Amino acid sequence: MNRAILFPKSGHMKYLFLALTAGFVIVFTIASYAWSHPSHHGGLSVPFQSLFFSQSTSGLVSTAWNESLGFGEVLYISMPYRTDRQDSMGLLSSMSGIKLTLIDGVDGDDINVKAVPDSANLKPSVLGCWRAHADAWRYVIDNNLETALILEDDIDWDKNIHQIFHDLSVQMQNNKLRLDPPTDHERTSAPYGLDWDLLFMGQCLDMANPQRLDLVQVYDDPNVPSRKDTQEVFLKQMESLGVVGDDVGKKRLLSPAYGPACTMGYAVTRRGAQRLLLNLSYIGLRGPVDNDMAWTLQDGKIRGYTVTPPLFTAWRVGGQKDSDNYTPDKNQPIAGKGNKGGSSWNLKTSARIAMVKELEMHNWVDYNNRGTVEEQKEK
């Protein structure tokens, strides 16, 4: 640094020195006040937090546009024999600019009795579901991933998924709900922060902690589904957290995770993966994997957030293709409506439906509309 600034001799340098000193004092005073006077939500207010994140926010949120949506990797779980779903996920992800890593699903009948967690009395299909998710957590740990997004293979998302995660990243970096200040590493390298173990974004049911309905961060999202496209369970949860009336269809919520069900889409940190393996394998397993994740959240042994309405939702085609968790019924159709008749909830613009429209072609109609070669020559 220029010695003239540190040890001013001229009048101009003296004023510059005094101005810089005053600036540092102001910033330090505001920061000290902010951390000693947290908001009623239990964290810093957004303006105060912006002091810490503003310099790096624009660079960090841009990672939501990369092929992993800003996470270390995007993993998806699929039974080896469900090549139909793997085709679907490969096609869907390619159209959305997302790179997926396959984690093989597990047949519960292949799990040796010695490998079953203590206290787990589950039917094979439910046990296999737990083992596949546990393998995903191990993958995060073994590959030293700081974060990972874990998906199942029967889902849909919004065609504007990158924009949605961009907006979520901004909220996570200005998170009023966190208990501790962000570390230097988080400010520069963690698009969604690292103060959580689990980030639920693909639940089928949910409820907030009835004792802490004050803990919520509400934000604008132009890609939120309308009221009619949002399932009743999420409308009720939003209402319990203060989002009603015209705000439905405009606002999305971030709140501490408490009672999510289903594991269609969630993110974990490396520490979160460790805590999940500790509580849902090493110590034992109390029930289906999603139930025990919720119970562990309610016990306060892991920390998480929930995004409402969810960002990932089930794609349903009818028939037996919708589930791998029961023995096929010869009296029920296999295919149901099929993908052409499939549907999903809680999305403004289905990526699966948009994908079909984008790839649609009418080659011979196009030729006929162009006219004959001779007609083209005359033009």
Side-chain angles (χ1 to χ4, degrees):
M1 182 178 288
N2 192 324
R3 288 177 57 85
I5 295 179
L6 290 175
F7 305 103
K9 293 182 180 179
S10 69
H12 293 298
M13 290 295 102
K14 179 178 180 180
Y15 291 136
L16 176 59
F17 177 75
L18 291 174
L20 289 172
T21 302
F24 286 131
V25 170
I26 291 171
V27 171
F28 179 78
T29 301
I30 292 175
S32 299
Y33 178 86
W35 287 116
S36 61
H37 296 77
S39 73
H40 70 281
H41 291 295
L44 280 179
S45 63
V46 169
F48 285 133
Q49 288 184 331
S50 296
L51 288 172
F52 298 98
F53 282 112
S54 59
Q55 291 185 350
S56 58
T57 293
S58 59
L60 280 180
V61 298
S62 66
T63 62
W65 297 89
N66 69 21
E67 62 183 10
S68 63
L69 295 169
F71 297 96
E73 286 190 37
V74 182
L75 315 177
Y76 83 104
I77 296 170
S78 182
M79 293 298 292
Y81 61 82
R82 288 308 300 262
T83 53
D84 58 322
R85 288 185 173 181
Q86 291 155 31
D87 288 346
S88 297
M89 290 295 285
L91 181 58
L92 184 62
S93 62
S94 71
M95 296 298 291
S96 298
I98 298 172
K99 181 179 180 181
L100 299 178
T101 298
L102 174 63
I103 301 292
D104 283 336
V106 177
D107 186 336
D109 288 319
D110 293 336
I111 300 175
N112 189 287
V113 64
K114 294 180 181 179
V116 175
D118 295 342
S119 305
N121 183 21
L122 304 171
K123 62 181 183 179
S125 60
V126 177
L127 192 63
C129 180
W130 158 79
R131 183 64 258 170
H133 282 273
D135 286 346
W137 308 334
R138 277 182 51 184
Y139 181 94
V140 172
I141 296 170
D142 293 346
N143 289 277
N144 200 29
L145 298 178
E146 195 162 65
T147 60
L149 176 59
I150 300 172
L151 307 174
E152 294 183 342
D153 63 356
D154 57 343
I155 61 169
D156 193 8
W157 55 69
D158 195 284
K159 76 169 187 175
N160 296 313
I161 188 169
H162 289 278
Q163 182 64 59
I164 291 171
F165 274 87
H166 174 279
D167 295 341
L168 175 61
S169 177
V170 171
Q171 295 302 314
M172 297 294 285
Q173 290 176 50
N174 295 286
N175 185 355
K176 296 182 294 183
L177 306 175
R178 62 179 299 145
L179 297 172
D180 302 308
T183 64
D184 290 341
H185 175 69
E186 286 179 277
R187 296 180 191 120
T188 59
S189 305
Y192 304 97
L194 294 170
D195 63 306
W196 46 275
D197 299 313
L198 284 165
L199 178 57
F200 274 92
M201 298 171 285
Q203 61 276 19
C204 61
L205 299 170
D206 207 356
M207 64 174 290
N209 184 341
Q211 305 301 318
R212 295 308 309 267
L213 297 179
D214 59 310
L215 296 175
V216 60
Q217 184 163 315
V218 181
Y219 64 98
D220 293 322
D221 185 342
N223 294 295
V224 171
S226 66
R227 179 184 292 273
K228 69 179 180 63
D229 291 325
T230 304
Q231 289 176 296
E232 185 67 23
V233 63
F234 299 117
L235 293 174
K236 289 182 178 179
Q237 184 183 11
M238 294 166 70
E239 182 179 0
S240 74
L241 293 169
V243 174
V244 295
D246 291 341
D247 282 341
V248 176
K250 298 178 181 178
K251 307 287 187 181
R252 212 179 286 275
L253 290 72
L254 183 67
S255 59
Y258 185 75
C262 301
T263 49
M264 292 179 288
Y266 64 96
V268 296
T269 58
R270 188 170 189 273
R271 180 50 57 91
Q274 292 170 328
R275 287 187 173 130
L276 285 168
L277 274 183
L278 173 70
N279 289 285
L280 276 70
S281 181
Y282 184 79
I283 291 176
L285 184 65
R286 296 174 289 180
V289 62
D290 59 334
N291 291 161
D292 208 350
M293 289 167 78
W295 296 333
T296 308
L297 284 163
Q298 292 165 16
D299 292 340
K301 295 179 180 178
I302 53 177
R303 178 177 298 157
Y305 297 112
T306 296
V307 181
T308 310
L311 309 184
F312 301 100
T313 187
W315 177 256
R316 290 292 173 248
V317 299
Q320 298 188 54
K321 284 193 172 186
D322 276 344
S323 178
D324 292 326
N325 288 334
Y326 57 82
T327 303
D329 184 349
K330 294 181 180 180
N331 297 319
Q332 294 294 324
I334 293 293
K337 297 175 292 184
N339 280 318
K340 288 190 69 175
S343 61
S344 56
W345 283 89
N346 308 313
L347 300 175
K348 183 175 183 178
T349 310
S350 163
R352 284 185 180 247
I353 293 175
M355 170 183 71
V356 172
K357 292 180 179 178
E358 187 172 345
L359 294 177
E360 189 176 45
M361 175 179 281
H362 303 283
N363 187 46
W364 300 114
V365 173
D366 294 339
Y367 271 115
N368 291 336
N369 288 337
R370 192 189 74 164
T372 65
V373 174
E374 289 72 19
E375 289 172 339
Q376 290 298 312
K377 289 179 178 179
E378 292 176 2
K379 291 181 181 180

